[in-house]
Amino acid sequence: MKIDMLYSKIHRATVTDADLNYEGSVSIDPALIKKAKMFINQKVDIVNCNNGARFSTYIIEGKKGEICLNGAAARLVHRGDKVIIIAYASIELNKAADHEPTVVFVDDNNKFKEIRKEKKH
């Protein structure tokens, strides 16, 4: 049996743009994608810390410093909002207790600050 668990997240990134006319997705700085061990086309949840909106989309490669919500998701954010970008993985139940997700922290300009492992309880 498997259980869905946090795999990785980019914590409190700043939305740099919202493009309603673009085909759906979230554009993310390539360096942050790599640091978070995420992948192009990977499904992610977006949590908007400013308004509480929570929705799913997929990753496309953005420009340096970019966090841009595209398509319908653009209606759920505003430039300057803080978001958490969350990826999950299916983990074997017997390995779940030892799983350590990757958490990427960024500054207000989406520049990498540090990586922390989530604490196990």
Side-chain angles (χ1 to χ4, degrees), residues 89-109:
S90 293
I91 307 293
E92 290 292 338
L93 196 56
N94 63 349
K95 295 181 181 180
D98 294 322
H99 174 66
E100 293 183 350
T102 299
V103 181
V104 173
F105 289 85
V106 296
D107 66 14
D108 289 337
N109 297 308

Side-chain angles (χ1 to χ4, degrees), residues 26-91:
V26 57
S27 304
I28 302 176
D29 176 331
L32 294 180
I33 294 170
K34 185 174 182 178
K35 292 276 188 193
K37 301 178 184 174
M38 293 178 179
F39 300 91
I40 302 300
N41 298 314
Q42 182 177 10
K43 179 182 177 182
V44 289
D45 283 350
I46 308 289
V47 179
N48 186 328
C49 298
N50 293 78
N51 66 19
R54 186 179 190 111
F55 52 93
S56 297
T57 189
Y58 61 94
I59 297 170
I60 63 172
E61 186 174 307
K63 299 173 192 151
K64 183 177 180 178
E66 184 176 44
I67 301 291
C68 177
L69 279 300
N70 301 302
R75 293 201 182 272
L76 302 173
V77 299
H78 291 94
R79 188 175 294 132
D81 283 357
K82 295 292 184 180
V83 294
I84 303 170
I85 303 168
I86 306 167
Y88 303 94
S90 293
I91 307 293

